[in-house]
Amino acid sequence: MPKTHHVIVGGSIAGVSAAVAMRQNGFSGTITVIDAEPLLPYERPPLSKMADAQQALRPIFPQEHYAEHGIDLLLSTRVRRLDDDRRRVELEGGDSLPADRVLLATGVSCRRLGVPGEELAGVHTLRTAEDARRISAALARGGPLVVIGGGFIGLEAAAVARTAGVDVTVVEAGELPLLGPLGTPVARLMTRLHEEHGVHVITGQTVRCFTGGTAVEEVVLTSGRRLPAATVIVGVGVTADDRLAREVGATCLNGVVTDQHGRTDHPWLWAAGDVAAHIHPAVGSRGRIEHWDVAMRHGAAVGASMADRPTVNSAVPYFWSDHYGTSLQMFGRAQPQVRVVLRDGATPERFAAFWLRGNRLVAVAGLDEPKTVRAAKAVLDAGVPVSAESLADPSTDLRALSRGPARQTLSSSG
């Protein structure tokens, strides 16, 4: 009898983690990972830091790791379609693979603005190693750089460029950069951090068009203002790369809809990582979570489930973002109708922030505050009631707080 074959589309951290987890959970069939890029699957978080120069691209695993786990890699290979009836994965060029189960770990694609001049040389998105290489080469020739969109990737690239002495302007359509993921108090601190390092921040504006000969020379804003630009990075969000799922009729709602184990409403089709719209236990509502750590853990859980060891990723979502030699770390997700509490003494260079729903901590973030963030995560994990006043007070022992009132009393009484 032929071996059972699991095909993973996408050499992302979710896809690679799923492949390894299949082996670790006893799957003995064939595993094939298909990826369109020619490189070994690599870590994506460093890409927005590569604009400063020569940071080496880091493979997720070395080549021999895949051989040791019996994982076949098909690189520089694109999937044309999934044949739902014959259970085959059809590749561009005409070849196809049999697949007892398919995992989509295709991630996301960068949104485009859809404005005139967007195809000019010098207008970039940042998603792949090749994108990062082009931007790095462009910034080495000098600025000015205009970043469209005040999200994490754009601001990280802005920080790297400013550190290298490049003139940088960030154009954000909303009231503040990072307002959606962080809320007003924290977004205001992060904006001030960038402004103090010389980044020009323009809010409430977007792009009317890009102008230039063969390469971009100016960014024209909706107000009519013109910004000189030698390089532009467009970072206005992403869309789920769910084409293959949609074409076979799987349900997609801002991503591929899956159950808690990663299975879609097509029994042979699964999804993990950024492309998957699932209900995370720590969030409670369906959606995609575009964080490296979450994708890694979700991929591993789905891989175990595909090996018939049903597993749910219940770890609290975590991400980090680097700016000017400091790291913003966050556990949990900022959600609507929650209160944001800043710890007393917060500055743009160092702060801790807490998100409260009623008297329950749902998220914590800190810039250059790793110990505080880790201690607050213990409070979050414990689910104990807390007050805004105690969180705001730097003298509060968060680890003692996480043990609850009874254990705090016992501890204090000796």
Side-chain angles (χ1 to χ4, degrees):
M1 294 289 292
K3 282 189 173 183
T4 302
H5 191 185
H6 288 178
V7 175
I8 299 170
V9 184
S12 60
I13 184 62
V16 170
S17 297
V20 173
M22 289 177 193
R23 288 290 186 238
Q24 292 174 336
N25 285 274
F27 178 68
S28 60
T30 302
I31 301 173
T32 302
V33 177
I34 304 172
D35 197 70
E37 293 197 58
L39 304 169
L40 274 180
Y42 55 85
E43 297 183 10
R44 293 188 184 272
L47 294 185
S48 51
K49 293 83 167 170
M50 289 180 70
D52 64 345
Q54 311 303 321
Q55 182 169 347
L57 196 65
R58 297 200 294 262
I60 298 171
F61 294 120
Q63 179 78 55
E64 56 268 23
H65 190 84
Y66 297 96
E68 289 169 2
H69 286 79
I71 299 168
D72 299 326
L73 291 178
L74 282 183
L75 304 178
S76 300
T77 304
R78 294 184 181 275
V79 174
R80 185 174 70 86
R81 66 182 290 267
L82 304 178
D83 188 330
D84 206 16
D85 296 325
R86 296 192 304 146
R87 300 285 176 96
R88 298 190 72 86
V89 177
E90 297 185 0
L91 310 178
E92 289 188 356
D95 291 338
S96 67
L97 297 173
D100 297 279
R101 289 178 176 174
V102 172
L103 173 64
L104 295 183
T106 43
V108 294
S109 300
C110 296
R111 290 185 186 274
R112 306 292 293 184
L113 288 168
V115 300
E118 195 168 21
E119 301 306 318
L120 288 170
V123 179
H124 305 273
T125 56
L126 180 51
R127 181 64 189 166
T128 68
E130 180 59 22
D131 294 336
R133 186 196 65 77
R134 291 191 184 114
I135 293 170
S136 178
L139 293 180
R141 297 190 290 269
L145 166 68
V146 177
V147 177
I148 311 301
F152 284 111
I153 289 177
L155 289 184
E156 285 186 353
V160 169
R162 275 305 299 144
T163 301
V166 175
D167 183 77
V168 180
T169 300
V170 172
V171 179
E172 165 58 39
E175 180 183 345
L176 286 168
L178 301 178
L179 183 59
L182 296 180
T184 299
V186 182
R188 188 176 289 126
L189 286 170
M190 292 300 296
T191 300
R192 283 176 53 196
L193 174 70
H194 282 268
E195 289 176 332
E196 289 176 2
H197 281 82
V199 174
H200 311 289
V201 178
I202 299 172
T203 59
Q205 293 284 312
T206 187
V207 177
R208 179 183 296 172
C209 64
F210 301 102
T211 65
T214 57
V216 67
E217 297 174 10
E218 284 188 325
V219 179
V220 182
L221 303 183
T222 47
S223 64
R225 182 175 176 179
R226 293 175 175 266
L227 304 175
T231 304
V232 173
I233 298 175
V234 178
V236 292
V238 295
T239 58
D241 194 353
D242 58 6
R243 174 186 64 85
L244 294 171
R246 285 186 282 105
E247 288 179 351
V248 296
T251 300
C252 294
L253 297 170
N254 186 28
V256 183
V257 173
T258 73
D259 66 13
Q260 61 180 340
H261 298 122
R263 191 191 293 268
T264 75
D265 52 9
H266 281 230
W268 78 309
L269 185 62
W270 304 62
D274 292 359
V275 75
H278 64 292
I279 299 175
H280 191 290
V283 178
S285 58
R286 185 175 299 281
R288 296 184 301 104
I289 304 178
E290 298 162 11
H291 300 326
W292 177 264
D293 186 76
V294 175
M296 176 181 65
R297 294 176 185 276
H298 189 232
V302 175
S305 298
M306 292 179 68
D308 296 322
R309 298 261 184 102
T311 306
V312 176
N313 170 36
S314 59
V316 174
Y318 169 74
F319 85 95
W320 74 97
S321 181
D322 296 332
H323 305 256
Y324 307 106
T326 62
S327 183
L328 176 72
Q329 297 174 292
M330 186 170 187
F331 284 99
R333 299 269 286 178
Q335 300 170 17
Q337 288 80 52
V338 297
R339 180 181 180 184
V340 184
V341 178
L342 288 177
R343 177 156 275 202
D344 293 346
T347 70
E349 292 76 28
R350 187 171 186 175
F351 62 80
F354 310 90
W355 284 258
L356 278 175
R357 176 179 287 111
N359 63 355
R360 301 287 176 171
L361 185 65
V362 297
V364 56
L367 185 72
D368 205 23
E369 285 278 8
K371 290 183 179 179
T372 301
V373 170
R374 288 285 176 181
K377 181 181 181 290
V379 178
L380 196 160
D381 289 340
V384 296
V386 293
S387 68
E389 293 73 21
S390 64
L391 293 173
D393 185 351
S395 68
T396 299
D397 184 340
L398 294 173
R399 292 202 178 276
L401 200 65
S402 71
R403 295 192 287 269
R407 293 186 63 184
Q408 289 179 57
T409 302
L410 288 172
S411 176
S412 62
S413 65

